[in-house]
Amino acid sequence: DTEVTQTPKHLVMGMTNKKSLKCEQHMGHRAMYWYKQKAKKPPELMFVYSYEKLSINESVPSRFSPECPNSSLLNLHLHALQPEDSALYLCASSPIANYGYTFGSGTRLTVV
Amino acid sequence: QQQVKQSPQSLIVQKGGISIINCAYENTAFDYFPWYQQFPGKGPALLIAIRPDVSEKKEGRFTISFNKSAKQFSLHIMDSQPGDSATYFCAATPADSNYQLIWGAGTKLIIKP
């Protein structure tokens, strides 16, 4: 299995809603990432988990809350988002000390 | 500030032609230079990558050329096909980080039939 699977593919949520994005990989990768991508822009790093521990938080607002329940799963909990948070949210994984990222297809999030 | 500058922003090439995308980096020790291909509605996919001790790497129709002294690297797509139409991002990994990627701004490539 050489895939990173993200669910849901599309999500529309109101500014008062709470929702979660899910990511799963079975490649044995020990680093997992959340990225945010706006249209026509490169991905922006949000969080990095290494061996299930949060190792990088790129000053992301607290309305985004990551969670890594085990080495295969990564969640992103969303609460009280703003319309400007609408974007493609990408999960990725990589082996530790290797630089080959594998990205999922992303969740297209719209905040209304 | 770490930067990777990518050009052109967009590129139109005839089918069968050579597509060339250029990137340059500044003042930082990077030790890994990947290229990603992204189709609309999909995540980026690793296309090809190079380390700075190699001047060229070829995989099928895709070639990376790397000039360490000039701090430049480029992607060449030979015999470009309509299926190559996508956005291409160059990137670089700082030598002191296993996790971070510094991304170029992206090039939207259109291959005309």
Side-chain angles (χ1 to χ4, degrees), chain B residues 21-32:
Chain B
I21 303 171
N22 299 299
C23 286
Y25 60 99
E26 301 176 351
N27 300 327
T28 301
F30 293 122
D31 66 353
Y32 179 73

Side-chain angles (χ1 to χ4, degrees), chain A residues 2 10 20 24 32-34 44 46 54 58 61-63 65 68 70 75 93-95 108:
Chain A
T2 57
H10 301 275
S20 297
E24 189 169 6
M32 296 186 75
Y33 312 77
W34 281 113
E44 298 173 45
M46 300 175 71
L54 183 64
E58 292 286 353
S62 60
R63 57 185 184 269
S65 176
C68 189
N70 60 54
N75 299 322
S93 70
S94 72
R108 175 69 62 188

